Amino acid sequence: MLQLSKKVEYGLIALRHMALKQRGQVFTAKEIALEYDLPYDLLAKILQKLTRANIVVSTQGVRGGYALAQRPEEIQVSHVIRTIEDEKPMIAECYAEGTDTCSIFDACTIRKPLGKVQRNLESLLQNMTIQEII
Amino acid sequence: MLQLSKKVEYGLIALRHMALKQRGQVFTAKEIALEYDLPYDLLAKILQKLTRANIVVSTQGVRGGYALAQRPEEIQVSHVIRTIEDEKPMIAECYAEGTDTCSIFDACTIRKPLGKVQRNLESLLQNMTIQEII
DNA sequence: GGAAATCCGACCTATTGAGTCCTGTTTAAG
DNA sequence: CTTAAACAGGACTCAATAGGTCGGATTTCC
Ligand code: SF4
Ligand code: SF4
């Protein structure tokens, strides 16, 4: 349906929250979840994914939490989506996965034209960073 | 997940098929379904929706079928999506539906910035017509 | 040692997408 | 004037995904 998932939205909200304060400060998943009334467990997993992708850094232990690993203007929205969704934001299934995932791949006539939309969307999301959603 | 639905893809394939031949010719749902190996019943319903939106015209009866109601360059992809999905191609839920559909609407901080992506995407899809996917 | 945090996989459940079925109605052809 | 080929459309099933939850492990500060 061409809509961002809640996970991505939650991730963006969290990233924006961190971008508001100065660099180096750590935020716990709990405080972010409370502030925006997000489901804690879900947000935690999202932040873990962002950690693995080196978008944020985590410090464990009792005074731990998350902090941005890059400057806000360096974090592309497209990278965030890709990380949280485990794949690129793709307009058509056959672009996201293999050529053999779509049963009508051979007969399909709109594949190439959709590639054009794909590229446009991609540059749209690449040129947008966390800096711009503050 | 930011992906077009099969319905939309099938609709675009059908529209492109009709756009290939000259205007006025009618095509049955059956022949299109066979040609591209699409599920007949599903395609039929898609074409019915496109009919109600005056994107195609249908003629009933034994020699009936569907034909484009507009010239290919007049049919916007965004209109096709909107018709088949019953709504606009919206990046965020709160844009597509009311302000009260998202539980964190008030706390949400990324709503406005996403509006920017929204507008970009919209113009992208409006400027693309069936003519361009031939 | 214990509290507060991240980590991570397994699990559950509601919603949506994809597809099917069935019964109409329309209309050209024979 | 009957029949077959088409559209019209609601109801339904099935499968996949999204969204959310749980339980337990590990890390680290006090
Ligand atoms: S082959 Fe065509 S129908 Fe299949 S996923 Fe790609 S664009 Fe869509
Ligand atoms: S209010 Fe925010 S989180 Fe909710 S749908 Fe809109 S953009 Fe997404």
Side-chain angles (χ1 to χ4, degrees):
Chain A
M1 217 247 291
L2 209 55
Q3 203 169 277
L4 293 180
S5 67
K6 287 282 180 206
K7 290 184 199 175
V8 169
E9 295 197 342
Y10 296 166
L12 289 175
I13 288 172
L15 289 172
R16 175 188 168 278
H17 179 80
M18 299 195 229
L20 282 179
K21 316 286 170 76
Q22 65 259 26
R23 185 113 180 254
Q25 183 173 352
V26 300
F27 307 84
T28 68
K30 190 179 175 187
E31 77 182 269
I32 298 177
L34 278 176
E35 171 114 14
Y36 301 102
D37 197 27
L38 309 177
Y40 166 77
D41 294 291
L42 190 50
L43 179 62
K45 285 212 304 196
I46 292 165
L47 287 168
Q48 286 162 26
K49 274 196 174 182
L50 294 174
T51 302
R52 271 171 261 157
N54 293 316
I55 292 171
V56 300
V57 289
S58 70
T59 57
Q60 293 199 341
V62 68
R63 298 289 294 167
Y66 298 93
L68 291 189
Q70 307 167 32
R71 277 177 291 131
E73 62 267 30
E74 289 174 329
I75 305 176
Q76 296 173 348
V77 171
S78 74
H79 188 201
V80 175
I81 298 176
R82 205 162 56 228
T83 298
I84 296 176
E85 302 280 18
D86 294 319
E87 63 192 313
K88 288 187 184 177
M90 288 296 193
I91 220 74
E93 174 192 333
C94 61
Y95 282 105
E97 291 151 52
T99 67
D100 50 350
T101 55
C102 181
S103 59
I104 63 165
F105 187 87
D106 291 327
C108 179
T109 55
I110 59 167
R111 198 169 61 244
K112 285 185 186 174
L114 283 186
K116 193 174 159 190
V117 185
Q118 179 66 49
R119 283 189 297 279
N120 283 332
L121 179 66
E122 215 148 327
S123 74
L124 195 66
L125 294 174
Q126 268 177 16
N127 293 331
M128 166 160 282
T129 69
I130 296 299
Q131 180 67 45
E132 301 180 56
I133 69 167
I134 287 181
Chain B
M1 216 250 290
L2 209 56
Q3 204 168 276
L4 292 179
S5 67
K6 287 283 181 207
K7 289 186 199 173
V8 169
E9 295 197 342
Y10 296 166
L12 289 175
I13 288 172
L15 288 172
R16 174 187 169 278
H17 179 79
M18 298 194 229
L20 282 178
K21 316 284 169 77
Q22 65 259 26
R23 185 116 182 250
Q25 182 171 351
V26 300
F27 307 84
T28 69
K30 190 179 174 185
E31 79 183 88
I32 297 177
L34 278 177
E35 172 113 12
Y36 301 101
D37 198 26
L38 309 178
Y40 167 76
D41 294 289
L42 189 51
L43 178 62
K45 285 213 302 196
I46 293 166
L47 287 167
Q48 285 163 25
K49 274 197 172 181
L50 293 175
T51 301
R52 272 172 260 157
N54 293 316
I55 293 171
V56 302
V57 289
S58 70
T59 57
Q60 292 200 341
V62 68
R63 297 290 292 168
Y66 298 92
L68 291 189
Q70 309 168 30
R71 277 176 292 131
E73 62 268 28
E74 289 174 329
I75 305 176
Q76 296 172 347
V77 171
S78 73
H79 188 200
V80 175
I81 298 177
R82 205 161 57 229
T83 298
I84 295 176
E85 302 280 17
D86 294 319
E87 62 194 315
K88 288 188 184 177
M90 287 295 192
I91 221 73
E93 175 192 333
C94 61
Y95 283 106
E97 291 150 51
T99 67
D100 52 349
T101 55
C102 180
S103 58
I104 62 165
F105 187 86
D106 291 327
C108 180
T109 54
I110 59 166
R111 199 169 62 244
K112 284 184 186 174
L114 283 184
K116 194 174 158 191
V117 185
Q118 180 65 49
R119 284 190 295 280
N120 283 331
L121 179 66
E122 216 147 326
S123 76
L124 195 68
L125 293 173
Q126 267 178 16
N127 293 331
M128 167 160 281
T129 69
I130 296 298
Q131 180 67 45
E132 302 179 55
I133 68 167
I134 287 180

